[in-house]
Amino acid sequence: MSNSSKTIDPNLISRAVFASLVNLRQAILQQQSNIDISPIDSKVVSCIESVLTSMKALRYVENPKTLSDITHNIWKTYITDFLSLIEYVYILVSDQFQQIFNSIVKVYASINFPSIFRDDTVYAHDLFFRIFDLLSLPAIMTLLKNQSNDQLMPHVANILRILLLQTQNIAEEILFKKDDLLNRESAVQSLLEYVDMNIFEASSDIQLTIVEVLGFIWTLVDNTILVPQLLDAKCASFTLKWISMNEVSVTIQLTSIRLLYNMARHEKGCAALNEANAILLLQQFKKRTLDPNSEDATYEDMRLLFSMAIALLTEPKESKSDAKSLGKVLNQLMQLTVNTAQKKNHKYGDFDISEPLVVLTKLFVHDDIVKYIVKDSQVKNMKTSSKIAFFCDLVLQFRGALANDDELDQLTLTALMNIIWSISFHEKYADELKSNAKFLFTIKSLVNDDGEAWVEQYVPKHMSSVRKAAAGILWNIDENNPAKIVRPAELTAAVDNRTNDSTMAAVGNKRLRVMISYSHADADFCHQLANALEKENIFDIWVDFAYCHTEDLWEEIGQAIEQSDVVLFLMTKDYQDSKSCRQEVMYAKDSLKKRFIPVYVKRDFAATGWLGVRIVGPQYIRFGKKTFEATVKELVKLIIEDTTEKSSTKKDSKAPVVDSSVKAESNENEKSDRDLTKEEPENSPQNNQKITPVAVNNSKPIKIWNSNDIFNWFDTNKIRPELKEMYDFHSGTELLLYAQCLQQDWESEYLDIREQFSKRYGVVLYRNEFVRFVSVIKILEPLQTKPVSSTCTIV
């Protein structure tokens, strides 16, 4: 290349190219239109040659970014100004004219895009959407509507495939933002409609185009932050339709289940899919497609994607049977995690290591699944001594994620920290965590890491930040943690007395200390409730958004719980899934034995698992049945009256009693309670049965009963089997604790269980049926060999 050629102004080259294109279009418009075959006019041929000559000069454009911009504008001009000339199709499909297309492709292929994107990710992001916007040009949209000229269709389809392939390549280099598809949803929907219209079309051109369209859609959905806008483009609807079809190709099946899995990674995607009955459709797909091909390696990825999608969409109950039924899925997730961990780039096939880890974080809100993964999951080729050591080693590998801008590395570290936080709630695993010196040093450093390099990305709401998870782990495994200190009975009594004295003083002075524990997903409701309680001017309300101003978040929350007269648990599914909330409940109830009031934020939520077993007994409040203001008044009354009652006296009763002066349920519930006997038919066999409680396993201490012993006890005493399923007691200790708590207010508990029972089974649980349960559970306490603490605390 000569020196003179290097000094050619790229602007001059660009102007020459576009001038020749303008001349060509004018020459075409002067030709005869709407004819099938005609020799191309010599003037048109001359203009085509002029275009080709001017484009050859593009090789002298040295700056790859400049060349990329010129080429992009040539594409836009070619599609807009030439492919719209349908009446001159004989020229557009001619060999002479196609030389222009081939020349554009050649220039495009010569550009060193990786070097551009490596140095300028902002430019890569901009170019991606400039190419994306070409899809909305009339010629492309006409193709997507199946309205292209038959002769021109293969050519337009080829251009569409080139553009889609280029966008997929660029997508690997950029970070998407949550509003990137805003006002572009219609273009995405047009692509989906094209696939839907042509899904059984035999044309090779169409099938090749479908493959690229689906690849492009997958690229978008794989960036979870974009899922809400893809839902607006009806991505979920089309995908569920395709997964339900018979006789579709393996490519369509694999892509469909891949899209469903990726959409399920976002809460909004998960909600949309569940609303559309995706679990049933996936199960039918499994029965129809996966089961008959269980030995076919072609379907291996499909089976894994199916398992991961089901894991994200379903909400397994907290029981050992569920952990075992999920065993195969959990084994697959752990094996995929191990496989990706052993790859240099932490990718195995199409999966990044962050993907199985994020699925595990959702499942790890269930204790039995944690135990299964840590103890029983079947994994090959794991190089560490234990599963806990494996997760700890991964934390050490990804420690530097907060210092770079790799969003997948940051998501991986976040997921790992949340997984280990879930593990740290189990004391039997704490010693292994504490014995890993490198891990502990890393965790302590992460507590103080401000994560300045954190990039904008979607993180599931059930996952806490790295810093918060690190603090939570240290809190759980620290022997000096106040929650770990075992209090002698005398000291506990003294603490209770001091609390009662301060509470009585607070009531007298109209200032009670109320701490509100809530999930940040329910922050709006918490603000509303805190403001309403403040207006009463008789409480000192402590809530983290008003008082946490230092880096020692857990220390401040712990002090607030210690100094409070009552703690309000704002219970929702998000609350139950939150490790932070679990930590607060355990400290307040298990360690400090603080008085608390369960507050159901939503009408249809029922606490289960670790939360359900801890909130039985105390009077509760449920919002949603009456107006917000009326329910707040009931809560205020309960805080004051229950405080006064607990501070002044503790009554022992030989039969279940309820204090009619303290009613937290709505008038509707009170009326319902008064009319319960009217619901029971006079000829009901239950009304004529004499309740004769029967104990089983007299030779075996009740505290060490297992699930089978408890099931036998339910059956022997003729308690409704549905109650056995609903309570799902795992040990005799749980049964005894519930028996003690039930005595405090069995009627309110009946109202709640009756509502849950009706929703779950569609039939009424009559009061005399629940009274049978209350009566027979009451005789268990005298039968135990050693008294259980009357505080109903799970230890």
PDB file of all heavy atoms in Angstrom, residues 520-536:
ATOM      1  N   HIS A 520     -37.292  -6.509  52.160  1.00  0.00           N
ATOM      2  CA  HIS A 520     -37.203  -5.290  51.369  1.00  0.00           C
ATOM      3  C   HIS A 520     -38.124  -5.320  50.158  1.00  0.00           C
ATOM      4  O   HIS A 520     -38.440  -4.285  49.585  1.00  0.00           O
ATOM      5  CB  HIS A 520     -35.757  -5.042  50.949  1.00  0.00           C
ATOM      6  CG  HIS A 520     -34.929  -4.503  52.072  1.00  0.00           C
ATOM      7  ND1 HIS A 520     -33.645  -4.041  51.914  1.00  0.00           N
ATOM      8  CD2 HIS A 520     -35.200  -4.340  53.406  1.00  0.00           C
ATOM      9  CE1 HIS A 520     -33.165  -3.624  53.081  1.00  0.00           C
ATOM     10  NE2 HIS A 520     -34.092  -3.796  53.998  1.00  0.00           N
ATOM     11  N   ALA A 521     -38.580  -6.516  49.770  1.00  0.00           N
ATOM     12  CA  ALA A 521     -39.563  -6.602  48.692  1.00  0.00           C
ATOM     13  C   ALA A 521     -40.901  -6.004  49.133  1.00  0.00           C
ATOM     14  O   ALA A 521     -41.735  -5.639  48.298  1.00  0.00           O
ATOM     15  CB  ALA A 521     -39.759  -8.059  48.267  1.00  0.00           C
ATOM     16  N   ASP A 522     -41.103  -5.900  50.453  1.00  0.00           N
ATOM     17  CA  ASP A 522     -42.339  -5.341  51.005  1.00  0.00           C
ATOM     18  C   ASP A 522     -42.095  -3.963  51.624  1.00  0.00           C
ATOM     19  O   ASP A 522     -42.803  -3.558  52.545  1.00  0.00           O
ATOM     20  CB  ASP A 522     -42.921  -6.295  52.062  1.00  0.00           C
ATOM     21  CG  ASP A 522     -43.111  -7.702  51.520  1.00  0.00           C
ATOM     22  OD1 ASP A 522     -43.724  -7.824  50.454  1.00  0.00           O
ATOM     23  OD2 ASP A 522     -42.623  -8.658  52.156  1.00  0.00           O
ATOM     24  N   ALA A 523     -41.084  -3.267  51.119  1.00  0.00           N
ATOM     25  CA  ALA A 523     -40.693  -1.985  51.710  1.00  0.00           C
ATOM     26  C   ALA A 523     -41.828  -0.968  51.678  1.00  0.00           C
ATOM     27  O   ALA A 523     -42.014  -0.199  52.627  1.00  0.00           O
ATOM     28  CB  ALA A 523     -39.463  -1.429  50.995  1.00  0.00           C
ATOM     29  N   ASP A 524     -42.602  -0.935  50.590  1.00  0.00           N
ATOM     30  CA  ASP A 524     -43.699   0.042  50.495  1.00  0.00           C
ATOM     31  C   ASP A 524     -44.717  -0.164  51.613  1.00  0.00           C
ATOM     32  O   ASP A 524     -45.169   0.797  52.252  1.00  0.00           O
ATOM     33  CB  ASP A 524     -44.379  -0.062  49.134  1.00  0.00           C
ATOM     34  CG  ASP A 524     -43.494   0.442  47.999  1.00  0.00           C
ATOM     35  OD1 ASP A 524     -42.493   1.126  48.300  1.00  0.00           O
ATOM     36  OD2 ASP A 524     -43.782   0.145  46.830  1.00  0.00           O
ATOM     37  N   PHE A 525     -45.085  -1.432  51.835  1.00  0.00           N
ATOM     38  CA  PHE A 525     -46.041  -1.712  52.906  1.00  0.00           C
ATOM     39  C   PHE A 525     -45.442  -1.351  54.262  1.00  0.00           C
ATOM     40  O   PHE A 525     -46.124  -0.802  55.126  1.00  0.00           O
ATOM     41  CB  PHE A 525     -46.440  -3.190  52.885  1.00  0.00           C
ATOM     42  CG  PHE A 525     -47.396  -3.570  53.988  1.00  0.00           C
ATOM     43  CD1 PHE A 525     -48.759  -3.424  53.815  1.00  0.00           C
ATOM     44  CD2 PHE A 525     -46.924  -4.040  55.209  1.00  0.00           C
ATOM     45  CE1 PHE A 525     -49.643  -3.760  54.832  1.00  0.00           C
ATOM     46  CE2 PHE A 525     -47.783  -4.364  56.236  1.00  0.00           C
ATOM     47  CZ  PHE A 525     -49.152  -4.230  56.045  1.00  0.00           C
ATOM     48  N   CYS A 526     -44.147  -1.666  54.451  1.00  0.00           N
ATOM     49  CA  CYS A 526     -43.495  -1.364  55.727  1.00  0.00           C
ATOM     50  C   CYS A 526     -43.513   0.140  56.002  1.00  0.00           C
ATOM     51  O   CYS A 526     -43.795   0.571  57.126  1.00  0.00           O
ATOM     52  CB  CYS A 526     -42.069  -1.899  55.711  1.00  0.00           C
ATOM     53  SG  CYS A 526     -41.182  -1.649  57.261  1.00  0.00           S
ATOM     54  N   HIS A 527     -43.193   0.940  54.982  1.00  0.00           N
ATOM     55  CA  HIS A 527     -43.246   2.399  55.139  1.00  0.00           C
ATOM     56  C   HIS A 527     -44.645   2.840  55.550  1.00  0.00           C
ATOM     57  O   HIS A 527     -44.819   3.661  56.462  1.00  0.00           O
ATOM     58  CB  HIS A 527     -42.860   3.077  53.817  1.00  0.00           C
ATOM     59  CG  HIS A 527     -41.382   3.212  53.618  1.00  0.00           C
ATOM     60  ND1 HIS A 527     -40.658   4.295  54.077  1.00  0.00           N
ATOM     61  CD2 HIS A 527     -40.492   2.401  53.002  1.00  0.00           C
ATOM     62  CE1 HIS A 527     -39.386   4.149  53.755  1.00  0.00           C
ATOM     63  NE2 HIS A 527     -39.248   3.006  53.107  1.00  0.00           N
ATOM     64  N   GLN A 528     -45.638   2.289  54.872  1.00  0.00           N
ATOM     65  CA  GLN A 528     -47.029   2.666  55.150  1.00  0.00           C
ATOM     66  C   GLN A 528     -47.411   2.300  56.591  1.00  0.00           C
ATOM     67  O   GLN A 528     -48.020   3.112  57.311  1.00  0.00           O
ATOM     68  CB  GLN A 528     -47.957   1.952  54.160  1.00  0.00           C
ATOM     69  CG  GLN A 528     -49.423   2.364  54.277  1.00  0.00           C
ATOM     70  CD  GLN A 528     -50.316   1.597  53.306  1.00  0.00           C
ATOM     71  OE1 GLN A 528     -49.882   0.622  52.695  1.00  0.00           O
ATOM     72  NE2 GLN A 528     -51.557   2.020  53.179  1.00  0.00           N
ATOM     73  N   LEU A 529     -47.030   1.096  57.030  1.00  0.00           N
ATOM     74  CA  LEU A 529     -47.374   0.660  58.386  1.00  0.00           C
ATOM     75  C   LEU A 529     -46.608   1.472  59.427  1.00  0.00           C
ATOM     76  O   LEU A 529     -47.183   1.894  60.442  1.00  0.00           O
ATOM     77  CB  LEU A 529     -47.064  -0.829  58.539  1.00  0.00           C
ATOM     78  CG  LEU A 529     -47.365  -1.429  59.912  1.00  0.00           C
ATOM     79  CD1 LEU A 529     -48.855  -1.309  60.230  1.00  0.00           C
ATOM     80  CD2 LEU A 529     -46.921  -2.892  59.981  1.00  0.00           C
ATOM     81  N   ALA A 530     -45.316   1.684  59.190  1.00  0.00           N
ATOM     82  CA  ALA A 530     -44.516   2.455  60.142  1.00  0.00           C
ATOM     83  C   ALA A 530     -45.082   3.863  60.325  1.00  0.00           C
ATOM     84  O   ALA A 530     -45.189   4.371  61.454  1.00  0.00           O
ATOM     85  CB  ALA A 530     -43.061   2.521  59.672  1.00  0.00           C
ATOM     86  N   ASN A 531     -45.467   4.487  59.232  1.00  0.00           N
ATOM     87  CA  ASN A 531     -46.053   5.832  59.304  1.00  0.00           C
ATOM     88  C   ASN A 531     -47.355   5.816  60.084  1.00  0.00           C
ATOM     89  O   ASN A 531     -47.634   6.719  60.888  1.00  0.00           O
ATOM     90  CB  ASN A 531     -46.287   6.386  57.899  1.00  0.00           C
ATOM     91  CG  ASN A 531     -44.989   6.701  57.178  1.00  0.00           C
ATOM     92  OD1 ASN A 531     -43.962   6.932  57.814  1.00  0.00           O
ATOM     93  ND2 ASN A 531     -45.022   6.724  55.863  1.00  0.00           N
ATOM     94  N   ALA A 532     -48.161   4.785  59.856  1.00  0.00           N
ATOM     95  CA  ALA A 532     -49.451   4.696  60.554  1.00  0.00           C
ATOM     96  C   ALA A 532     -49.252   4.498  62.051  1.00  0.00           C
ATOM     97  O   ALA A 532     -49.960   5.106  62.875  1.00  0.00           O
ATOM     98  CB  ALA A 532     -50.268   3.543  59.974  1.00  0.00           C
ATOM     99  N   LEU A 533     -48.285   3.670  62.446  1.00  0.00           N
ATOM    100  CA  LEU A 533     -48.033   3.447  63.867  1.00  0.00           C
ATOM    101  C   LEU A 533     -47.421   4.678  64.531  1.00  0.00           C
ATOM    102  O   LEU A 533     -47.706   4.977  65.700  1.00  0.00           O
ATOM    103  CB  LEU A 533     -47.104   2.238  64.038  1.00  0.00           C
ATOM    104  CG  LEU A 533     -47.689   0.877  63.640  1.00  0.00           C
ATOM    105  CD1 LEU A 533     -46.633  -0.221  63.764  1.00  0.00           C
ATOM    106  CD2 LEU A 533     -48.906   0.532  64.500  1.00  0.00           C
ATOM    107  N   GLU A 534     -46.570   5.385  63.787  1.00  0.00           N
ATOM    108  CA  GLU A 534     -45.986   6.619  64.327  1.00  0.00           C
ATOM    109  C   GLU A 534     -47.068   7.631  64.671  1.00  0.00           C
ATOM    110  O   GLU A 534     -46.974   8.365  65.670  1.00  0.00           O
ATOM    111  CB  GLU A 534     -45.018   7.228  63.301  1.00  0.00           C
ATOM    112  CG  GLU A 534     -43.707   6.468  63.152  1.00  0.00           C
ATOM    113  CD  GLU A 534     -42.710   6.779  64.253  1.00  0.00           C
ATOM    114  OE1 GLU A 534     -43.095   7.458  65.226  1.00  0.00           O
ATOM    115  OE2 GLU A 534     -41.558   6.324  64.148  1.00  0.00           O
ATOM    116  N   LYS A 535     -48.111   7.689  63.858  1.00  0.00           N
ATOM    117  CA  LYS A 535     -49.183   8.672  64.081  1.00  0.00           C
ATOM    118  C   LYS A 535     -49.937   8.428  65.382  1.00  0.00           C
ATOM    119  O   LYS A 535     -50.599   9.321  65.894  1.00  0.00           O
ATOM    120  CB  LYS A 535     -50.154   8.646  62.896  1.00  0.00           C
ATOM    121  CG  LYS A 535     -49.559   9.220  61.614  1.00  0.00           C
ATOM    122  CD  LYS A 535     -50.558   9.136  60.462  1.00  0.00           C
ATOM    123  CE  LYS A 535     -49.939   9.684  59.180  1.00  0.00           C
ATOM    124  NZ  LYS A 535     -50.859   9.563  58.018  1.00  0.00           N
ATOM    125  N   GLU A 536     -49.859   7.186  65.900  1.00  0.00           N
ATOM    126  CA  GLU A 536     -50.535   6.894  67.162  1.00  0.00           C
ATOM    127  C   GLU A 536     -49.864   7.622  68.330  1.00  0.00           C
ATOM    128  O   GLU A 536     -50.464   7.808  69.390  1.00  0.00           O
ATOM    129  CB  GLU A 536     -50.520   5.376  67.424  1.00  0.00           C
ATOM    130  CG  GLU A 536     -51.282   4.560  66.408  1.00  0.00           C
ATOM    131  CD  GLU A 536     -52.772   4.813  66.464  1.00  0.00           C
ATOM    132  OE1 GLU A 536     -53.305   5.029  67.585  1.00  0.00           O
ATOM    133  OE2 GLU A 536     -53.412   4.802  65.385  1.00  0.00           O
TER     134      GLU A 536
END
